[in-house]
Amino acid sequence: MVGVVDVSSPALLAMAYVKAWTDGNGPLLELPCAPPTTVEEIYETHDAMVGLAPPGVFGDLAGYKMGAVGLVPGVPCFYGPLFRNFFSHHPQEPRMSDLCHCHTLEAEIGFVMKDDLFPLEGGRQRNLQEVWDAVGSICPCVELCGSRVAATSPVLVKLSDGLMTGGVYVGSPMSPQDYSMESLKNVQTSLAINGNVQDSGSGSRCPMGGPIESLTWLANYLNERGSGLQSGHLVISGMTSKAVNFHEGDEIIATYSGLGGDEEQIIRFSLAP
């Protein structure tokens, strides 16, 4: 994948990704510049995507996704932006045509923040309890990962594409008072397509070993970069189970055990064209 400009430019990359998403074209067969080579260039591209995304199409920056565990040596995980207009709630069905080459579904545990978590004086990092206390609600979610680049693209290119951000189907919110930080690691999930279970897992598969651990890493990393989580932001804390073989019209069923008392929580929806 040879770029037209022989140095990496987060602005040019972001412009190409946003245009491909908006137009519904792609995947991009050629980048407009050299691919990113550093973690900071990846995040600068994300920031540029947020700044360039047309509000009428994308909405505002509504939160973050977590993932990409162990894909880059020495980097435990990555985060990416989530855009408000690509959130779906029952009975709204996600539109495949809006998601730009949706290729993976992931059952995740989401957090809606009630408090801002901006940088602390002296650069002090927050601990798990401080971040947990800032959570307003917990909700089961299914991430619909999208892509503007070819599947054969280098890892850093895929990560710069908003960490393959797409859409989120958001389940019913629950109070964090009904849970402990440790209990979220033990939440069991599965993803089924048309009744056939493709994968199962637990909250311990999230980055940093658990959902609140993932959220805390994100809060502190954002602070290191001079920003922070805000009240109302949704953070999906990482893949617990996933599905890759699906098509328009398929019935998606995500099941969560241990999230909502003794009863299973179920998210059920179809993928609209």
Side-chain angles (χ1 to χ4, degrees):
M1 185 177 289
V2 179
V4 176
V5 179
D6 61 3
V7 294
S8 181
S9 168
L12 286 178
L13 286 172
M15 191 177 303
Y17 297 154
V18 169
K19 187 177 188 304
W21 193 343
T22 304
D23 295 346
N25 298 327
L28 295 170
L29 300 179
E30 183 177 71
L31 297 181
C33 61
T37 58
T38 67
V39 171
E40 185 56 29
E41 286 179 349
I42 289 171
Y43 287 128
E44 288 176 357
T45 305
H46 293 183
D47 294 342
M49 288 179 70
V50 172
L52 292 168
V57 177
F58 288 78
D60 62 341
L61 174 67
Y64 298 91
K65 57 169 288 184
M66 294 291 295
V69 176
L71 291 186
V72 175
V75 182
C77 54
F78 284 84
Y79 71 86
L82 294 174
F83 296 98
R84 188 172 307 278
N85 286 3
F86 298 100
F87 289 2
S88 300
H89 303 76
H90 180 77
Q92 178 187 9
E93 294 183 339
R95 290 171 51 87
M96 288 281 282
S97 57
D98 291 339
L99 299 173
C100 198
H101 305 285
C102 179
H103 55 82
T104 304
L105 306 175
E106 296 182 353
E108 308 208 10
I109 296 170
F111 299 100
V112 178
M113 309 305 298
K114 67 179 176 67
D115 298 326
D116 298 334
L117 293 180
F118 293 126
L120 296 170
E121 185 176 351
R124 183 179 72 81
Q125 293 199 333
R126 289 179 171 86
N127 59 37
L128 294 175
Q129 186 64 53
E130 289 173 306
V131 174
W132 176 252
D133 290 342
V135 172
S137 61
I138 302 170
C139 49
C141 296
V142 176
E143 181 185 4
L144 300 96
C145 302
S147 180
R148 277 57 62 182
V149 300
T152 55
S153 299
V155 169
L156 294 188
V157 171
K158 293 180 179 179
L159 297 179
S160 72
D161 178 25
L163 197 65
M164 295 179 284
T165 187
V168 183
Y169 194 93
V170 184
S172 299
M174 294 166 282
S175 171
Q177 296 179 355
D178 297 332
Y179 305 92
S180 68
M181 293 184 285
E182 193 67 24
S183 68
L184 294 180
K185 295 181 182 180
N186 300 320
V187 172
Q188 302 293 310
T189 73
S190 66
L191 261 174
I193 310 298
N194 297 325
N196 298 312
V197 175
Q198 287 201 12
D199 190 27
S200 59
S202 70
S204 63
R205 294 177 75 175
C206 290
M208 312 307 294
I212 192 63
E213 288 80 2
S214 175
L215 179 65
T216 301
W217 180 94
L218 172 63
N220 287 321
Y221 199 92
L222 287 173
N223 287 172
E224 289 177 12
R225 299 194 70 242
S227 61
L229 292 170
Q230 298 180 32
S231 175
H233 274 170
L234 169 68
V235 177
I236 51 175
S237 55
M239 183 270 294
T240 63
S241 54
K242 67 179 182 179
V244 295
N245 298 313
F246 57 90
H247 303 89
E248 293 178 0
D250 285 348
E251 182 184 54
I252 314 301
I253 300 177
T255 303
Y256 300 76
S257 299
L259 190 64
D262 296 330
E263 295 184 3
E264 290 185 333
Q265 297 292 308
I266 296 177
I267 292 180
R268 186 191 309 263
F269 63 93
S270 295
L271 294 168

